[in-house]
Amino acid sequence: MKSKTLVAEGTEKPKRQRSKRDLRENLRGWGILGPIILYYFIFGIIPMIILFRYSFMEDDLFQGTVFVGFDNFVEIFTNPDYYMLFLATILIAVFTIGLSLVFGMLIAVAVTQPIRGRGAYRTIYYIPVVISMAVVSQIANVWLSYNEGTFNNILKALGMQSVAWKLSTFWMYFWIIFICVWKGLGATVILLVAGLNAIPPELYEAAELDGAGPVSKFFKITLPQLRPMLVFVMITSIIGAFNIFEPVQLISQGGPDGSTKVILYQIYNEAFQNGNNGMGSAIAVVVLLLLMGLTALNMRFGEEKEEK
């Protein structure tokens, strides 16, 4: 009996030690995750609940905030002005994302080649990312001013007429897209460079032994291996494109004739200029659901390609 008691005590002691160790690890884990979860709950979940609540409200001058049900959403999906708003946003997003991916891929492939000063080139391309978009937009205003703008002064020096950049829909789209692509290109390049560096060089060596050329290696090795990174870049680019605000507010002010109004600019106008928090919240909810759908489709497309 005494030996059995000693054995039982000997087995219980390691169990108590393991339980204490597990408790300490759990407390350590919650100590790390707790503040993050609390931050996300306060600044993510609660504002989202308030956003959905306000989307069913309307601010009335005499009655205050009143419940209107789905009236705000009906207005969004039946008013042609909102169709043009989403069309302008999608147009800018498509060109911004497409040009960023094309030029980002070209630059990423170039700076991963065995050339001198690769680190310097990567730094140069990333500099625009850390510059405030508000500062870039104000610099663009100096360039595009009709009377004393840099570009018009150059045109005058060449004997050409000044261009009213801000009165042209084409040029406003062009400059907004150009600024957004230039500003975000560095982040795309850095991500694609990381993806390129993660591709095993043995794949390229085997392809060279089989007689594959540069184009064949790019489409059959580089792009398939980059697919997870491209999916991530696409998701972040879509979210970023739907959050374009400063260039529109500070350069075009939505003009000419409201042709460059984007979603975030309209949300700002509804909530802060018109004092209609309900409509602004409803537009934000539609954008949230749209981005969630696009993100899910993008991820689904990437998973299907990987399975194949």
Side-chain angles (χ1 to χ4, degrees), residues 224-260:
Q225 292 293 320
L226 273 180
R227 185 171 292 116
M229 183 60 72
L230 287 174
V231 171
F232 177 76
V233 171
M234 279 291 296
I235 292 172
T236 55
S237 298
I238 290 171
I239 295 172
F242 275 83
N243 282 307
I244 293 173
F245 175 69
E246 291 95 335
V248 176
Q249 184 196 29
L250 299 176
I251 299 175
S252 69
Q253 290 83 43
D257 299 326
S259 59
T260 59

Side-chain angles (χ1 to χ4, degrees), residues 16-269:
R16 287 196 298 269
Q17 291 177 349
R18 283 197 300 270
S19 63
K20 290 181 180 179
R21 190 184 310 113
D22 293 340
L23 178 62
R24 286 197 300 269
E25 291 178 357
N26 289 334
L27 290 175
R28 189 181 299 113
W30 280 111
I32 296 172
L33 293 176
I36 300 173
I37 295 173
L38 182 63
Y39 175 87
Y40 180 72
F41 182 78
I42 295 174
F43 296 100
I45 301 298
I46 294 178
M48 193 176 298
I49 295 172
I50 296 173
L51 175 70
F52 275 90
R53 176 179 174 274
Y54 264 106
S55 67
F56 298 102
M57 303 291 182
E58 184 180 40
D59 294 315
D60 187 86
L61 182 62
F62 300 101
Q63 299 179 5
T65 303
V66 294
F67 179 79
V68 294
F70 289 93
D71 288 356
N72 291 328
F73 297 98
V74 172
E75 175 71 14
I76 292 172
F77 289 106
T78 57
N79 191 334
D81 292 338
Y82 289 104
Y83 293 157
M84 298 305 298
L85 176 71
F86 279 89
L87 181 62
T89 305
I90 292 172
L91 182 64
I92 293 175
V94 168
F95 278 97
T96 301
I97 295 170
L99 293 173
S100 295
L101 285 175
V102 171
F103 287 107
M105 180 65 73
L106 292 174
I107 296 171
V109 171
V111 298
T112 51
Q113 301 302 313
I115 57 176
R116 296 178 62 182
R118 286 187 300 177
Y121 294 135
R122 294 177 188 178
T123 303
I124 291 171
Y125 282 112
Y126 195 78
I127 288 175
V129 178
V130 300
I131 302 175
S132 170
M133 180 63 87
V135 174
V136 175
S137 300
Q138 293 296 353
I139 294 173
N141 280 327
V142 176
W143 293 344
L144 303 176
S145 175
Y146 181 77
N147 295 319
E148 299 297 332
T150 305
F151 292 149
N152 279 338
N153 286 336
I154 295 173
L155 293 176
K156 290 176 185 178
L158 296 174
M160 303 170 68
Q161 293 184 348
S162 298
V163 177
W165 308 100
K166 295 188 178 183
L167 298 180
S168 170
T169 300
F170 170 79
W171 284 116
M172 279 295 93
Y173 272 108
F174 174 83
W175 288 116
I176 290 172
I177 293 170
F178 174 82
I179 290 171
C180 292
V181 171
W182 175 79
K183 179 74 169 59
L185 189 61
T188 302
V189 171
I190 290 297
L191 291 172
L192 293 178
V193 166
L196 290 171
N197 289 334
I199 299 176
E202 294 82 9
L203 295 177
Y204 293 107
E205 294 173 0
E208 289 177 359
L209 292 175
D210 292 336
V215 177
S216 179
K217 287 190 292 184
F218 178 78
F219 284 101
K220 294 184 178 181
I221 297 176
T222 304
L223 284 182
Q225 292 293 320
L226 273 180
R227 185 171 292 116
M229 183 60 72
L230 287 174
V231 171
F232 177 76
V233 171
M234 279 291 296
I235 292 172
T236 55
S237 298
I238 290 171
I239 295 172
F242 275 83
N243 282 307
I244 293 173
F245 175 69
E246 291 95 335
V248 176
Q249 184 196 29
L250 299 176
I251 299 175
S252 69
Q253 290 83 43
D257 299 326
S259 59
T260 59
K261 279 186 178 180
V262 293
I263 291 175
L264 203 61
Y265 183 74
Q266 186 64 25
I267 293 174
Y268 169 80
N269 281 341

